[in-house]
Amino acid sequence: MPQAVPTATEHREFLSGLVERVTYHNLENGYCVLRVKVRGHRDLVTVLGHAASVQPGEWVQASGNWEVHREHGQQFRATHLKTAQPTSLEGIEKYLGSGLIKGIGPVYARKLVKAFGEAVFDIIERNPRRLSEVTGIGPKRAAKITSTWADQKAIREIMVFLRSHGVGTSRAVRIFKTYWADAVALVTENPYRLARDIRGIGFKTADMIAEKLGIPKDAMIRARAGISYTLLEAVDDGHCGLPRDELLSMAETLLEIPSVILEDAIRFELTDGVIVADSVGDRECVFLRRLWEAERVIVGRLTVLREGRPPWPDIDADKAILWAEGKLGVSLAASQKDAVRMSLASKLMVITGGPGVGKTTLVNSILKILTAKGVHVLLAAPTGRAAKRMTEATGMEAKTIHRLLEFDPTTGGFRRTEEMPLQCNLLVLDETSMVDVPLMASVLRAVPAKAAVILVGDVDQLPSVGPGQVLADIIESEAVPVVRLTEVFRQAATSQIITNAHRINAGQMPVLTPPKDGETTDFYFVDTADAEDAVRKVVEIVQHRIPRRFGFDPIRDIQILTPMNRGGLGARTLNLALQAALNPAADQPAVERFGWTYRPGDKVMQIENDYEKEVFNGDLGIVTTIDADAQEVTITIDGGEGVYLFGELDEVSLAFATTIHKSQGSEYPAVVIPVTMNHYMMLRRNLIYTGVTRGKKLVVLVGQRRAMGIAIRSAECGRRWSNLRELLRTN
């Protein structure tokens, strides 16, 4: 892809002229390519920039810099672009004839300019009856012209208002498309609604707009919005709610508002039903309503599902187990046989256990027996990578939860609900530890009451990134039959990854003795002196040592997993170091957005669900092309291609390194995990255990043994405020 080469410019330049042609205009983010007639230039000038609305004939004012494109020659890249209605007769005719105004094409544009001259805009707006003076314009056409003109005027006024309050063009377009003609009134009345209604706008942006509108810091409208914001901040930490006293304390710190005002704000929010008060044990808590309701949906659906007989005829379990062993060529352990018997007699059960304990063999045995009896089975997992692994392990199609439930991007909900449930006799849900409260509620809503459900997952891994700890709460409630597999099978026990994972989970240090000369293992520990030494060694190990010794591709096969995002050994620092080593800057296009620079060949991760592209949080991809003219990046993810506008690159981040939390549900051929005292605040047993169990063929820990010891001794991972376990116990 040709690259634009900037010319040497010390100061921003200014340019103005008549828009002759709009070559390209992206309505989603406002990016446009214009051909402009500029005084002093013999040929039309190509101007690149962002404008919410732009039409031929308009007068454009731009500030930016000239650059020379290898294919397209000299062009002007504008950092700021302002358009205005034309004032010349030539511009007015071109503007009216551009197709912007319904009922006016080039022919009528010429007639209108001839009849009214420079007063034509005033005639359309203030005296539309006079339009009938032009031959061919009757009452219907005149009404269409005046109506469209009013709409266009409203768009311009809204854009001017939003930009004057610090809202960029791409966000202004989103706001307009959400509120249309009511945008100015709604935003002025309550700018905090933007955080609730518009993707990409959070409380802080809405707060900035509110400040520009003159809304005081201690205004009740801000206090009320701040309560929800504080709860959302807690949701990011995995909570469904907060104790009331903690909520008040956190909100007071975040918002700098006296607690007396915040108490009133909580009362107003409770009255309006935005939040809900409830008790968790002996603590008075406050929940976001949607999460409070989702927990009750889970409890209600699980209560229904566990009642009654399974939706298949009685099965002689011992004969079925013997038959399944023969078909699969396996010999089930006693604990697995007990689990098969339970599954054949239950409508609802949980299967949990660590790596190498036979969860896959057990599930395959159950599926073999039930499908032979004609049971209609559906398989699902939270992520694309987990669903793919499930498909490979079972030989049956597994879908992501979002595909299974048929997510509808137009409504933001699922098509599969109680009204249109899934068609199955049995749903098997894998990697259940990753499923948060809202998603589990959606899954269970869609399961018919007569069907059976098997939840599979490793409860000792990190809980879900989203709110709640659903699998742990279900198991600890003792309201559902649970099979916990603990026996590591002989073949799996030869893997040091699996052996050490179980040692870590049991609170024991892994075996860190290096192999003898000439021998290899699948688990290594590399000692480091400090964080800087660790970064150097991580880069060296990924770039040279692992590829030389094991033949793994450093970008596609090796994943660096770190306990935290920031800091000297955080994902951000490691990504920059690894990008420089593995995909250095060269004579190739690049784009810098949202704090990252992207180049073809970079490894990236989707960091939020994008249902239109069908890519989800945690999906990995490779940047393949960057088109500076179209302002687009193409990323290959799981064999498919997704096109991202430059303004959408906040949906991805570099992913040579990622956090252990983001790796849940995934497996990689090789993982490298830095563990040092820099990560002190994050060092927990389940964090290291989760990271180690992501490695399929090789795990390399890089760090300090003291830090490993602290992590393994720290079993307490902090309470998540949720009411699910208590509700299940009492139902």
Side-chain angles (χ1 to χ4, degrees):
M1 185 64 60
Q3 185 182 16
V5 181
T7 58
T9 52
E10 294 181 5
H11 303 288
R12 186 176 295 170
E13 297 186 43
F14 297 89
L15 171 151
S16 61
L18 184 74
V19 178
E20 282 283 331
R21 186 167 70 252
V22 179
T23 304
Y24 175 81
H25 188 209
N26 185 304
L27 295 176
E28 289 298 321
N29 66 0
Y31 176 73
C32 56
V33 180
L34 311 176
R35 297 284 282 163
V36 180
K37 184 188 288 186
V38 179
R39 186 176 298 163
H41 290 258
R42 186 183 64 182
D43 299 323
L44 296 178
V45 173
T46 299
V47 176
L48 316 176
H50 287 80
S53 175
V54 61
Q55 299 297 328
E58 288 187 308
W59 189 259
V60 65
Q61 293 177 319
S63 61
N65 296 115
W66 291 96
E67 61 183 32
V68 178
H69 193 280
R70 290 173 183 170
E71 261 186 26
H72 305 299
Q74 192 178 52
Q75 53 192 23
F76 190 85
R77 187 172 295 276
T79 52
H80 295 284
L81 202 62
K82 182 180 178 182
T83 61
Q85 285 181 1
T87 55
S88 70
L89 293 180
E90 177 192 6
I92 292 170
E93 183 177 328
K94 194 175 289 291
Y95 179 73
L96 289 175
S98 66
L100 172 72
I101 309 298
K102 291 178 183 177
I104 304 179
V107 173
Y108 281 103
R110 195 173 307 117
K111 288 182 178 182
L112 284 163
V113 171
K114 187 176 180 181
F116 304 118
E118 294 176 0
V120 64
F121 294 150
D122 196 54
I123 295 293
I124 294 172
E125 187 171 332
R126 301 177 189 277
N127 198 3
R129 291 182 181 177
R130 289 195 60 194
L131 293 174
S132 60
E133 295 174 16
V134 176
T135 306
I137 297 183
K140 285 187 178 179
R141 187 182 295 273
K144 190 181 292 184
I145 291 170
T146 52
S147 171
T148 308
W149 180 264
D151 289 344
Q152 290 300 321
K153 184 183 178 188
I155 292 172
R156 289 181 178 281
E157 288 175 350
I158 290 164
M159 292 304 170
V160 169
F161 168 81
L162 292 172
R163 286 199 292 263
S164 70
H165 289 89
V167 181
T169 299
S170 59
R171 282 177 173 169
V173 172
R174 286 182 192 167
I175 293 168
F176 172 71
K177 287 191 169 185
T178 302
Y179 302 136
W180 297 102
D182 296 327
V184 172
L186 291 173
V187 173
T188 303
E189 177 193 358
N190 182 5
Y192 294 102
R193 69 188 306 141
L194 295 170
R196 182 188 67 214
D197 298 340
I198 313 291
R199 184 181 68 82
I201 296 183
F203 175 85
K204 290 181 179 178
T205 301
D207 205 30
M208 176 197 71
I209 296 169
E211 186 177 5
K212 286 179 177 286
L213 286 168
I215 295 175
K217 269 197 167 188
D218 60 355
M220 184 52 63
I221 192 174
R222 181 173 186 266
R224 292 183 64 174
I227 291 298
S228 292
Y229 170 61
T230 306
L231 284 171
L232 284 170
E233 290 279 288
V235 168
D236 288 343
D237 292 331
H239 303 292
C240 293
L242 282 175
R244 188 179 181 122
D245 55 342
E246 287 187 23
L247 172 60
L248 280 167
S249 175
M250 289 173 63
E252 193 172 1
T253 302
L254 281 167
L255 305 172
E256 298 176 340
I257 295 176
S259 60
V260 64
I261 295 175
L262 292 169
E263 285 277 14
D264 288 338
I266 289 176
R267 279 195 291 273
F268 283 125
E269 293 292 278
L270 287 170
T271 301
D272 285 357
V274 177
I275 58 177
V276 179
D278 202 354
S279 295
V280 178
D282 58 354
R283 298 291 296 274
E284 183 186 354
C285 292
V286 178
F287 290 80
L288 288 171
R289 174 169 286 279
R290 64 180 180 85
L291 297 177
W292 183 84
E293 290 177 345
E295 288 193 336
R296 276 149 183 77
V297 168
I298 294 171
V299 173
R301 297 301 298 170
L302 289 177
T303 302
V304 169
L305 287 167
R306 72 187 176 191
E307 300 300 325
R309 295 177 52 78
W312 49 77
D314 288 340
I315 297 172
D316 186 322
D318 291 331
K319 285 184 180 178
I321 290 168
L322 195 62
W323 175 84
E325 287 178 321
K327 287 290 184 182
L328 295 172
V330 298
S331 179
L332 297 178
S335 59
Q336 291 174 311
K337 290 178 181 178
D338 289 341
V340 173
R341 293 186 185 96
M342 182 185 291
S343 71
L344 298 181
S346 305
K347 277 192 69 198
L348 179 64
M349 69 178 291
V350 173
I351 298 172
T352 189
V357 297
K359 292 196 301 291
T360 300
T361 301
L362 171 57
V363 170
N364 281 341
S365 301
I366 294 168
L367 293 176
K368 197 75 176 174
I369 293 167
L370 291 178
T371 53
K373 296 293 185 180
V375 175
H376 184 196
V377 178
L378 291 176
L379 309 180
T383 67
R385 294 173 76 88
K388 186 177 180 182
R389 284 172 46 210
M390 197 179 189
T391 297
E392 292 167 352
T394 63
M396 298 171 63
E397 183 189 15
K399 296 180 179 180
T400 63
I401 292 173
H402 287 83
R403 276 190 62 214
L404 180 78
L405 301 184
E406 300 175 21
F407 182 83
D408 183 355
T410 60
T411 64
F414 295 106
R415 293 189 179 95
R416 293 290 181 176
T417 61
E418 300 96 327
E419 287 73 33
M420 192 173 77
L422 297 166
Q423 299 299 306
C424 67
N425 303 118
L426 170 66
L427 172 66
V428 181
L429 183 61
D430 198 12
E431 295 287 357
T432 308
S433 62
M434 292 182 64
V435 182
D436 61 22
V437 163
L439 193 55
M440 182 59 82
S442 295
V443 170
L444 296 178
R445 273 193 185 105
V447 178
K450 62 180 177 56
V453 173
I454 298 176
L455 304 175
V456 185
D458 184 350
V459 74
D460 295 317
Q461 286 185 24
L462 289 168
S464 58
V465 174
Q469 45 189 16
V470 175
L471 183 62
D473 284 344
I474 290 173
I475 291 172
E476 290 173 20
S477 73
E478 301 181 350
V480 174
V482 176
V483 171
R484 185 186 279 271
L485 300 175
T486 57
E487 180 184 350
V488 179
F489 288 91
R490 190 179 302 114
Q491 186 177 357
T494 63
S495 165
Q496 287 301 301
I497 294 174
I498 290 175
T499 300
N500 281 326
H502 283 277
R503 288 181 65 87
I504 291 168
N505 198 34
Q508 303 169 10
M509 282 288 282
V511 177
L512 304 180
T513 308
K516 296 176 183 176
D517 289 344
E519 295 182 358
T520 61
T521 179
D522 59 2
F523 191 97
Y524 292 85
F525 188 91
V526 177
D527 286 290
T528 61
D530 51 33
E532 287 185 14
D533 185 37
V535 171
R536 285 193 297 271
K537 286 181 175 174
V538 166
V539 172
E540 166 67 16
I541 287 165
V542 172
Q543 187 177 17
H544 300 299
R545 289 167 63 178
I546 292 178
R548 276 200 302 261
R549 175 74 68 90
F550 297 95
F552 290 128
D553 182 278
I555 294 178
R556 296 181 183 275
D557 295 333
I558 305 171
Q559 186 61 53
I560 295 81
L561 303 178
T562 181
M564 58 206 305
N565 210 20
R566 301 198 176 276
L569 267 171
R572 182 168 185 81
T573 300
L574 289 169
N575 267 312
L576 294 174
L578 289 158
Q579 184 187 44
L582 303 178
N583 194 31
D587 187 17
Q588 58 178 341
V591 55
E592 186 176 347
R593 286 293 188 280
F594 305 105
W596 296 109
T597 298
Y598 298 98
R599 296 187 281 269
D602 279 340
K603 186 178 189 177
V604 295
M605 176 181 280
Q606 183 77 18
I607 57 174
E608 62 180 63
N609 293 333
D610 188 323
Y611 304 106
E612 292 182 6
K613 293 186 181 71
E614 291 193 352
V615 288
F616 303 101
N617 195 345
D619 286 351
L620 290 173
I622 301 291
V623 175
T624 50
T625 61
I626 295 174
D627 188 333
D629 288 338
Q631 300 265 296
E632 291 177 347
V633 176
T634 303
I635 300 173
T636 302
I637 298 178
D638 281 340
E641 283 196 341
V643 177
Y644 293 72
L645 300 169
F646 283 4
E648 295 177 323
L649 289 174
D650 56 345
E651 292 185 12
V652 299
S653 68
L654 287 180
F656 301 99
T658 188
T659 62
I660 295 172
H661 282 84
K662 285 284 187 184
S663 73
Q664 287 175 263
S666 298
E667 270 188 351
Y668 313 96
V671 299
V672 177
I673 308 172
V675 185
T676 74
M677 294 305 293
N678 286 57
H679 302 127
Y680 182 78
M681 296 299 294
M682 296 291 294
L683 294 177
R684 296 290 185 274
R685 183 188 303 169
N686 61 353
L687 184 82
I688 305 302
Y689 172 74
T690 300
V692 167
T693 55
R694 301 308 91 203
K696 196 172 181 182
K697 297 179 181 177
L698 179 67
V699 171
V700 180
L701 297 171
V702 181
Q704 298 161 322
R705 295 172 190 244
R706 181 187 171 202
M708 276 291 296
I710 289 171
I712 289 165
R713 288 192 296 273
S714 302
E716 177 58 48
C717 57
R719 176 171 187 169
R720 287 192 166 192
W721 287 101
S722 161
N723 215 4
L724 183 60
R725 180 177 53 192
E726 286 77 6
L727 289 170
L728 283 167
R729 281 177 173 168
T730 56
N731 271 268

PDB file of all heavy atoms in Angstrom, residues 32 128 221 241 248 309 346 366 377 386 399 426 429 581 601 603 615 628 670 674 707 723:
ATOM      1  N   CYS A  32     -13.345  12.566   5.030  1.00  0.00           N
ATOM      2  CA  CYS A  32     -13.724  12.913   3.664  1.00  0.00           C
ATOM      3  C   CYS A  32     -12.500  13.228   2.810  1.00  0.00           C
ATOM      4  O   CYS A  32     -11.443  13.626   3.313  1.00  0.00           O
ATOM      5  CB  CYS A  32     -14.702  14.090   3.647  1.00  0.00           C
ATOM      6  SG  CYS A  32     -14.085  15.565   4.487  1.00  0.00           S
ATOM      7  N   PRO A 128     -41.138  30.234   1.552  1.00  0.00           N
ATOM      8  CA  PRO A 128     -41.164  29.110   0.610  1.00  0.00           C
ATOM      9  C   PRO A 128     -42.302  29.164  -0.413  1.00  0.00           C
ATOM     10  O   PRO A 128     -42.238  28.480  -1.436  1.00  0.00           O
ATOM     11  CB  PRO A 128     -41.307  27.894   1.536  1.00  0.00           C
ATOM     12  CG  PRO A 128     -41.899  28.425   2.802  1.00  0.00           C
ATOM     13  CD  PRO A 128     -41.363  29.804   2.945  1.00  0.00           C
ATOM     14  N   ILE A 221     -28.018  16.638  39.189  1.00  0.00           N
ATOM     15  CA  ILE A 221     -27.962  15.852  37.953  1.00  0.00           C
ATOM     16  C   ILE A 221     -26.600  15.162  37.814  1.00  0.00           C
ATOM     17  O   ILE A 221     -26.491  14.032  37.350  1.00  0.00           O
ATOM     18  CB  ILE A 221     -28.268  16.752  36.726  1.00  0.00           C
ATOM     19  CG1 ILE A 221     -28.508  15.901  35.489  1.00  0.00           C
ATOM     20  CG2 ILE A 221     -27.175  17.763  36.468  1.00  0.00           C
ATOM     21  CD1 ILE A 221     -28.960  16.717  34.291  1.00  0.00           C
ATOM     22  N   GLY A 241     -22.602  -5.006  42.674  1.00  0.00           N
ATOM     23  CA  GLY A 241     -23.059  -3.890  43.480  1.00  0.00           C
ATOM     24  C   GLY A 241     -21.977  -3.539  44.478  1.00  0.00           C
ATOM     25  O   GLY A 241     -20.855  -4.053  44.402  1.00  0.00           O
ATOM     26  N   LEU A 248     -20.745   5.323  48.828  1.00  0.00           N
ATOM     27  CA  LEU A 248     -20.688   6.749  49.185  1.00  0.00           C
ATOM     28  C   LEU A 248     -19.248   7.242  49.269  1.00  0.00           C
ATOM     29  O   LEU A 248     -18.910   8.322  48.774  1.00  0.00           O
ATOM     30  CB  LEU A 248     -21.397   6.979  50.522  1.00  0.00           C
ATOM     31  CG  LEU A 248     -22.921   7.068  50.454  1.00  0.00           C
ATOM     32  CD1 LEU A 248     -23.508   6.975  51.847  1.00  0.00           C
ATOM     33  CD2 LEU A 248     -23.360   8.365  49.773  1.00  0.00           C
ATOM     34  N   ARG A 309     -37.562 -34.837  35.524  1.00  0.00           N
ATOM     35  CA  ARG A 309     -36.742 -35.888  34.926  1.00  0.00           C
ATOM     36  C   ARG A 309     -36.016 -35.363  33.693  1.00  0.00           C
ATOM     37  O   ARG A 309     -36.480 -34.428  33.033  1.00  0.00           O
ATOM     38  CB  ARG A 309     -37.621 -37.076  34.521  1.00  0.00           C
ATOM     39  CG  ARG A 309     -38.290 -37.795  35.705  1.00  0.00           C
ATOM     40  CD  ARG A 309     -39.197 -38.919  35.214  1.00  0.00           C
ATOM     41  NE  ARG A 309     -38.505 -39.812  34.297  1.00  0.00           N
ATOM     42  CZ  ARG A 309     -37.651 -40.764  34.685  1.00  0.00           C
ATOM     43  NH1 ARG A 309     -37.393 -40.927  35.982  1.00  0.00           N
ATOM     44  NH2 ARG A 309     -37.058 -41.542  33.795  1.00  0.00           N
ATOM     45  N   SER A 346     -29.627 -36.619  35.766  1.00  0.00           N
ATOM     46  CA  SER A 346     -29.860 -35.242  36.213  1.00  0.00           C
ATOM     47  C   SER A 346     -30.240 -34.338  35.047  1.00  0.00           C
ATOM     48  O   SER A 346     -29.825 -34.551  33.909  1.00  0.00           O
ATOM     49  CB  SER A 346     -28.598 -34.671  36.880  1.00  0.00           C
ATOM     50  OG  SER A 346     -28.168 -35.493  37.933  1.00  0.00           O
ATOM     51  N   ILE A 366     -20.324 -38.705  27.801  1.00  0.00           N
ATOM     52  CA  ILE A 366     -21.730 -38.330  27.990  1.00  0.00           C
ATOM     53  C   ILE A 366     -22.388 -38.038  26.641  1.00  0.00           C
ATOM     54  O   ILE A 366     -23.501 -38.505  26.353  1.00  0.00           O
ATOM     55  CB  ILE A 366     -21.830 -37.100  28.925  1.00  0.00           C
ATOM     56  CG1 ILE A 366     -21.342 -37.462  30.336  1.00  0.00           C
ATOM     57  CG2 ILE A 366     -23.262 -36.564  28.976  1.00  0.00           C
ATOM     58  CD1 ILE A 366     -21.123 -36.260  31.237  1.00  0.00           C
ATOM     59  N   VAL A 377     -28.377 -32.174  21.034  1.00  0.00           N
ATOM     60  CA  VAL A 377     -27.403 -31.509  21.898  1.00  0.00           C
ATOM     61  C   VAL A 377     -26.906 -30.225  21.235  1.00  0.00           C
ATOM     62  O   VAL A 377     -26.666 -30.184  20.025  1.00  0.00           O
ATOM     63  CB  VAL A 377     -26.202 -32.436  22.175  1.00  0.00           C
ATOM     64  CG1 VAL A 377     -25.156 -31.727  23.030  1.00  0.00           C
ATOM     65  CG2 VAL A 377     -26.666 -33.717  22.856  1.00  0.00           C
ATOM     66  N   ALA A 386     -12.427 -20.626  22.452  1.00  0.00           N
ATOM     67  CA  ALA A 386     -12.901 -21.715  23.313  1.00  0.00           C
ATOM     68  C   ALA A 386     -13.884 -22.609  22.561  1.00  0.00           C
ATOM     69  O   ALA A 386     -13.872 -23.836  22.712  1.00  0.00           O
ATOM     70  CB  ALA A 386     -13.548 -21.151  24.576  1.00  0.00           C
ATOM     71  N   LYS A 399     -20.645 -23.465  19.272  1.00  0.00           N
ATOM     72  CA  LYS A 399     -20.787 -22.065  18.884  1.00  0.00           C
ATOM     73  C   LYS A 399     -20.410 -21.159  20.045  1.00  0.00           C
ATOM     74  O   LYS A 399     -20.479 -21.561  21.206  1.00  0.00           O
ATOM     75  CB  LYS A 399     -22.240 -21.767  18.475  1.00  0.00           C
ATOM     76  CG  LYS A 399     -22.716 -22.517  17.248  1.00  0.00           C
ATOM     77  CD  LYS A 399     -24.168 -22.135  16.932  1.00  0.00           C
ATOM     78  CE  LYS A 399     -24.670 -22.851  15.681  1.00  0.00           C
ATOM     79  NZ  LYS A 399     -26.080 -22.491  15.380  1.00  0.00           N
ATOM     80  N   LEU A 426     -30.375 -30.901  25.392  1.00  0.00           N
ATOM     81  CA  LEU A 426     -29.245 -30.742  26.299  1.00  0.00           C
ATOM     82  C   LEU A 426     -28.352 -29.610  25.789  1.00  0.00           C
ATOM     83  O   LEU A 426     -28.006 -29.568  24.610  1.00  0.00           O
ATOM     84  CB  LEU A 426     -28.415 -32.037  26.379  1.00  0.00           C
ATOM     85  CG  LEU A 426     -27.065 -31.948  27.106  1.00  0.00           C
ATOM     86  CD1 LEU A 426     -27.254 -31.657  28.589  1.00  0.00           C
ATOM     87  CD2 LEU A 426     -26.249 -33.232  26.912  1.00  0.00           C
ATOM     88  N   LEU A 429     -22.283 -26.195  28.252  1.00  0.00           N
ATOM     89  CA  LEU A 429     -21.599 -24.902  28.231  1.00  0.00           C
ATOM     90  C   LEU A 429     -20.206 -25.064  28.821  1.00  0.00           C
ATOM     91  O   LEU A 429     -20.057 -25.418  29.985  1.00  0.00           O
ATOM     92  CB  LEU A 429     -22.398 -23.877  29.037  1.00  0.00           C
ATOM     93  CG  LEU A 429     -21.860 -22.448  29.075  1.00  0.00           C
ATOM     94  CD1 LEU A 429     -21.798 -21.841  27.682  1.00  0.00           C
ATOM     95  CD2 LEU A 429     -22.718 -21.581  29.986  1.00  0.00           C
ATOM     96  N   ALA A 581      11.037  -5.214  18.445  1.00  0.00           N
ATOM     97  CA  ALA A 581      11.913  -6.348  18.156  1.00  0.00           C
ATOM     98  C   ALA A 581      11.369  -7.247  17.046  1.00  0.00           C
ATOM     99  O   ALA A 581      12.118  -7.709  16.179  1.00  0.00           O
ATOM    100  CB  ALA A 581      12.122  -7.172  19.430  1.00  0.00           C
ATOM    101  N   GLY A 601       1.520  -6.650   9.950  1.00  0.00           N
ATOM    102  CA  GLY A 601       2.302  -7.662  10.654  1.00  0.00           C
ATOM    103  C   GLY A 601       2.163  -7.607  12.153  1.00  0.00           C
ATOM    104  O   GLY A 601       2.582  -8.536  12.855  1.00  0.00           O
ATOM    105  N   LYS A 603       0.549  -7.953  15.795  1.00  0.00           N
ATOM    106  CA  LYS A 603      -0.432  -8.813  16.458  1.00  0.00           C
ATOM    107  C   LYS A 603      -1.335  -7.935  17.306  1.00  0.00           C
ATOM    108  O   LYS A 603      -0.851  -7.110  18.083  1.00  0.00           O
ATOM    109  CB  LYS A 603       0.292  -9.836  17.336  1.00  0.00           C
ATOM    110  CG  LYS A 603      -0.583 -10.898  17.978  1.00  0.00           C
ATOM    111  CD  LYS A 603       0.319 -11.841  18.756  1.00  0.00           C
ATOM    112  CE  LYS A 603      -0.393 -13.067  19.269  1.00  0.00           C
ATOM    113  NZ  LYS A 603       0.544 -13.989  19.946  1.00  0.00           N
ATOM    114  N   VAL A 615     -16.667 -10.100  15.819  1.00  0.00           N
ATOM    115  CA  VAL A 615     -15.427 -10.310  16.548  1.00  0.00           C
ATOM    116  C   VAL A 615     -15.686  -9.923  18.000  1.00  0.00           C
ATOM    117  O   VAL A 615     -16.467  -9.017  18.277  1.00  0.00           O
ATOM    118  CB  VAL A 615     -14.259  -9.490  15.967  1.00  0.00           C
ATOM    119  CG1 VAL A 615     -13.814 -10.056  14.640  1.00  0.00           C
ATOM    120  CG2 VAL A 615     -14.629  -8.023  15.805  1.00  0.00           C
ATOM    121  N   ALA A 628      -4.216   4.545   4.030  1.00  0.00           N
ATOM    122  CA  ALA A 628      -4.271   5.902   4.573  1.00  0.00           C
ATOM    123  C   ALA A 628      -5.336   6.738   3.878  1.00  0.00           C
ATOM    124  O   ALA A 628      -5.942   7.622   4.494  1.00  0.00           O
ATOM    125  CB  ALA A 628      -2.907   6.569   4.437  1.00  0.00           C
ATOM    126  N   ALA A 670       2.694 -21.705  23.059  1.00  0.00           N
ATOM    127  CA  ALA A 670       3.698 -21.360  24.067  1.00  0.00           C
ATOM    128  C   ALA A 670       3.309 -20.067  24.756  1.00  0.00           C
ATOM    129  O   ALA A 670       2.824 -19.137  24.109  1.00  0.00           O
ATOM    130  CB  ALA A 670       5.074 -21.213  23.419  1.00  0.00           C
ATOM    131  N   PRO A 674       5.932 -13.124  32.768  1.00  0.00           N
ATOM    132  CA  PRO A 674       6.798 -12.443  33.733  1.00  0.00           C
ATOM    133  C   PRO A 674       6.131 -12.386  35.105  1.00  0.00           C
ATOM    134  O   PRO A 674       4.955 -12.043  35.209  1.00  0.00           O
ATOM    135  CB  PRO A 674       6.961 -11.043  33.128  1.00  0.00           C
ATOM    136  CG  PRO A 674       5.749 -10.839  32.283  1.00  0.00           C
ATOM    137  CD  PRO A 674       5.309 -12.199  31.820  1.00  0.00           C
ATOM    138  N   ALA A 707       8.680 -13.544  44.227  1.00  0.00           N
ATOM    139  CA  ALA A 707       7.366 -13.134  43.718  1.00  0.00           C
ATOM    140  C   ALA A 707       6.480 -14.346  43.472  1.00  0.00           C
ATOM    141  O   ALA A 707       5.275 -14.317  43.768  1.00  0.00           O
ATOM    142  CB  ALA A 707       7.532 -12.321  42.432  1.00  0.00           C
ATOM    143  N   ASN A 723     -24.966 -11.301  45.033  1.00  0.00           N
ATOM    144  CA  ASN A 723     -25.918 -11.962  45.930  1.00  0.00           C
ATOM    145  C   ASN A 723     -26.314 -13.343  45.425  1.00  0.00           C
ATOM    146  O   ASN A 723     -27.202 -13.980  45.985  1.00  0.00           O
ATOM    147  CB  ASN A 723     -27.180 -11.094  46.070  1.00  0.00           C
ATOM    148  CG  ASN A 723     -27.775 -11.185  47.469  1.00  0.00           C
ATOM    149  OD1 ASN A 723     -27.209 -11.832  48.350  1.00  0.00           O
ATOM    150  ND2 ASN A 723     -28.906 -10.552  47.671  1.00  0.00           N
TER     151      ASN A 723
END
